[in-house]
Amino acid sequence: MTSIIRRNQSLKTIFRNPKDPFFTPIYKTPYRVLNQKPFSTHSSKFPEYEMPTVTWGVVQGRKEKLVSRVIISDYLKTIGIIPHELEELELPSTVEVMRERVEFLQKIGLTVDDMNEYPLMLGCSVRKNIIPVLTYLEKIGLQRSKLGEFIKIYPQCLHTSVVVELVPVIKFLRGLDVEKQDIGYVLMKYPELLGFKLEGTMSTSVAYLVSIGVNPRDVGPMVTQYPYFLGMRVGTTIKPLVDYLVSLGLPKKILARMLEKRAYLLGYDLEETVKPNVNCLLSFGLRKDTLPSVIAQFPQILGLPLKAKLSSQQYFFNLKLKIDPDGFARVIEKMPQIVSLHQHVIMKPVEFLVGRGFSTADVAKMIVKCPQLVALQVGLMKNSYYFFKSDMGRPMEELLDFPDYFTYSLESRIKPRYQRLQNKEIRCSLGWFLNCSDQRFEERLYGDYIEPESSGPSFCLGGKLELPGNEIVSEEEDDSEDETLYRRTVSL
């Protein structure tokens, strides 16, 4: 009995002395204020952005939460934001916190309409979500003035963790040889990259492209030029396109070089664009075995509104240049870029040739033989023509037989070679001394006979690249010939 009385007395003493070091007072209010000390506006962690004075609010009971939700919803409605999508979202306990979120988003360039497009951004804490993400994006190269635009395009990034989700993606891009100064540019073009899993689509698309011959060192520039291929599935998008182009006779090595320089080709829809364009080329009279050469010379032809362009150019060639549809097909086979060439550009060289005494029929034959004529500068053609007439003194028929003469540089090829022929008193055709490399010209110059002229390299459908005069070609030579043909065809 005595021990019970002593115990009660000790308890009374504790409650009478709240300053006792072992005394913990019970809440004096129905709720506990979490944010009693405002955050400094000069935080050492995020000095670039002003910290909010309140972050979340108070811990409330169920009834208080319902009342606060109604107040916040009314506030959002008054400023034009529809809060329906926020019903299942945890909201701050006070309207002041929500007001600061709205004002912060408006400061970086978002409007009420942007918030209505993605209301879930209002569930992000300014201090815990928004400021860390914006600070990191600015650190990796995005300009502060463009952060609002970036958030408009991809507001989901506000929910991400900088350390767990954003940093690994940036490291992955740097590992692909994307230059540090290009990271911001890549993300502005394709912000959704920040939401991809590293072990998923991005890794498999890169691995497949490398497997078909793309140089790993060129993947970085490809990403900078066209980052969207990192989000493409190999099985449903990339591989079907590659397989189709290879089935047309395009060597994989050349296709890889094309993709390295023009990664946007991967964005052409196979069923909606590529196949219809290939069928369109065939319907206009192009031979199937010339398609690989056409595509290698002008890969963009796969993505153009081709039917309209070909129809327009074919009509123009027939009306103005007197070139029939079959001749037009031969022109496109040799120079497919003509489908995008302006008609007034085409007429300038034509008018020059007609003005020098060539008939319309002769000009048509010259263009079919050498379509590059229609893309030449008239000033350069004049210089070459005057040298041909005054210094070389040759008949006009030679230009009709070899119109390619106008495509060679007067100062670096025509004059020096012609002078050497004069010194040796050699008489030959234009093609014999112009249409060859410097080494072959030397061999011809000091040879005891004049070898016959030969045509250039060509594709064979489904087979290896064949060069006239070489019956057996090794694998190593095949590779170098593919490279040479690609450089030759795309240099135009």
Side-chain angles (χ1 to χ4, degrees):
M1 185 67 179
T2 305
S3 63
I4 293 174
I5 294 173
R6 288 177 179 174
R7 192 180 304 157
N8 290 338
Q9 287 177 347
S10 63
L11 289 173
K12 290 178 181 179
T13 303
I14 292 173
F15 283 111
R16 287 196 190 105
N17 297 287
K19 295 183 181 180
D20 189 281
F22 300 100
F23 174 74
T24 304
I26 307 220
Y27 303 142
K28 295 182 180 180
T29 59
Y31 50 83
R32 177 168 61 94
V33 178
L34 289 180
N35 185 39
Q36 295 179 348
K37 181 180 179 180
F39 289 96
S40 170
T41 58
H42 303 286
S43 168
S44 60
K45 191 172 183 182
F46 305 111
E48 300 91 344
Y49 298 97
E50 182 179 349
M51 285 294 177
T53 56
V54 242
T55 58
W56 194 257
V58 296
V59 174
Q60 299 173 314
R62 183 179 178 183
K63 185 176 181 181
E64 288 84 357
K65 283 184 178 181
L66 291 174
V67 173
S68 296
R69 181 174 287 273
V70 171
I71 295 174
I72 291 174
S73 296
D74 290 342
Y75 162 71
L76 294 176
K77 289 177 182 177
T78 59
I79 61 175
I81 297 176
I82 303 171
H84 299 323
E85 293 189 32
L86 302 176
E87 292 178 357
E88 302 298 326
L89 195 67
E90 184 179 0
L91 297 178
S93 58
T94 65
V95 73
E96 287 77 12
V97 178
M98 181 58 73
R99 182 181 292 109
E100 288 200 347
R101 290 185 187 179
V102 172
E103 291 174 353
F104 188 91
L105 293 173
Q106 288 176 331
K107 283 181 181 178
I108 64 173
L110 272 67
T111 64
V112 170
D113 291 337
D114 298 325
M115 298 178 203
N116 276 324
E117 287 289 328
Y118 189 75
L120 297 180
M121 69 175 69
L122 296 174
C124 297
S125 166
V126 173
R127 181 177 182 274
K128 295 179 180 179
N129 300 104
I130 302 177
I131 287 181
V133 169
L134 296 183
T135 302
Y136 182 70
L137 292 176
E138 191 172 350
K139 177 182 176 183
I140 61 177
L142 267 74
Q143 298 178 12
R144 178 174 294 194
S145 59
K146 294 185 177 180
L147 288 177
E149 181 183 349
F150 183 87
I151 299 300
K152 290 179 186 178
I153 300 172
Y154 188 60
Q156 293 87 343
C157 70
L158 296 177
H159 301 285
T160 58
S161 165
V162 171
V163 176
V164 177
E165 296 170 274
L166 301 188
V167 172
V169 173
I170 302 306
K171 286 184 177 179
F172 178 81
L173 294 176
R174 292 287 291 124
L176 295 179
D177 278 347
V178 178
E179 297 293 338
K180 189 175 182 181
Q181 64 269 20
D182 292 332
I183 293 290
Y185 172 77
V186 170
L187 292 180
M188 281 302 299
K189 288 183 72 172
Y190 195 33
E192 290 82 358
L193 278 178
L194 294 176
F196 290 150
K197 300 294 183 183
L198 302 185
E199 66 278 3
T201 307
M202 289 200 292
S203 297
T204 54
S205 59
V206 171
Y208 178 75
L209 292 174
V210 171
S211 73
I212 66 171
V214 171
N215 190 334
R217 290 186 175 274
D218 287 315
V219 173
M222 288 174 65
V223 172
T224 304
Q225 177 195 139
Y226 190 77
Y228 308 100
F229 77 85
L230 291 177
M232 296 177 179
R233 294 187 178 276
V234 171
T236 58
T237 305
I238 301 178
K239 189 175 184 298
L241 177 63
V242 170
D243 290 345
Y244 178 72
L245 295 178
V246 171
S247 72
L248 295 177
L250 197 67
K252 272 191 177 182
K253 200 170 188 67
I254 289 183
L255 179 57
R257 301 292 85 79
M258 288 166 52
L259 295 177
E260 288 171 2
K261 302 301 180 185
R262 297 176 176 86
Y264 58 81
L265 297 176
L266 294 168
Y268 292 161
D269 187 275
L270 178 59
E271 300 297 332
E272 298 293 330
T273 306
V274 177
K275 286 185 177 180
N277 279 359
V278 170
N279 293 332
C280 181
L281 290 172
L282 296 174
S283 69
F284 273 82
L286 275 74
R287 294 164 295 187
K288 191 172 183 181
D289 59 341
T290 65
L291 290 179
S293 177
V294 169
I295 296 171
Q297 289 184 70
F298 191 49
Q300 299 94 312
I301 202 169
L302 296 174
L304 295 174
L306 198 54
K307 188 173 182 179
K309 286 182 174 291
L310 282 175
S311 298
S312 174
Q313 293 291 60
Q314 187 187 63
Y315 177 77
F316 171 76
F317 270 65
N318 193 17
L319 179 67
K320 296 290 186 179
L321 309 182
K322 307 305 179 184
I323 295 177
D324 60 18
D326 185 63
F328 177 74
R330 304 293 81 78
V331 168
I332 298 299
E333 288 175 353
K334 296 175 182 177
M335 187 182 171
Q337 293 88 343
I338 282 180
V339 300
S340 296
L341 204 59
H342 291 293
Q343 295 173 358
H344 73 274
V345 175
I346 296 174
M347 286 305 298
K348 289 181 179 179
V350 172
E351 291 169 354
F352 168 78
L353 293 173
V354 171
R356 297 304 174 274
F358 291 101
S359 67
T360 304
D362 288 341
V363 173
K365 291 178 182 177
M366 294 171 72
I367 291 174
V368 173
K369 283 184 179 180
C370 181
Q372 288 78 9
L373 287 177
V374 300
L376 295 177
Q377 295 182 19
V378 173
L380 298 178
M381 293 181 70
K382 284 182 180 178
N383 295 335
S384 297
Y385 176 78
Y386 292 145
F387 180 80
F388 176 84
K389 291 295 292 181
S390 60
D391 292 57
M392 299 175 71
R394 298 196 174 205
M396 299 279 283
E397 287 75 15
E398 289 200 35
L399 290 178
L400 184 59
D401 293 335
F402 190 71
D404 310 64
Y405 167 82
F406 290 104
T407 65
Y408 294 102
S409 170
L410 178 62
E411 299 299 331
S412 64
R413 175 163 292 199
I414 298 176
K415 281 185 178 181
R417 291 191 180 185
Y418 178 73
Q419 187 61 46
R420 298 191 66 185
L421 290 177
Q422 290 294 93
N423 294 338
K424 284 189 167 288
E425 298 182 352
I426 296 176
R427 178 72 179 177
C428 62
S429 68
L430 293 174
W432 187 86
F433 81 92
L434 291 177
N435 188 24
C436 61
S437 65
D438 290 337
Q439 181 180 353
R440 180 58 60 88
F441 177 70
E442 293 294 333
E443 294 172 357
R444 290 176 175 180
L445 199 60
Y446 292 100
D448 295 329
Y449 65 96
I450 296 180
E451 61 182 279
E453 298 177 19
S454 60
S455 59
S458 62
F459 278 111
C460 286
L461 181 64
K464 293 187 179 296
L465 189 67
E466 293 184 359
L467 292 175
N470 291 327
E471 300 298 333
I472 301 176
V473 182
S474 66
E475 290 294 329
E476 292 76 15
E477 288 174 337
D478 273 340
D479 293 345
S480 62
E481 287 155 7
D482 284 354
E483 298 285 351
T484 302
L485 176 63
Y486 176 73
R487 287 195 296 270
R488 183 179 300 174
T489 54
V490 300
S491 62
L492 184 62

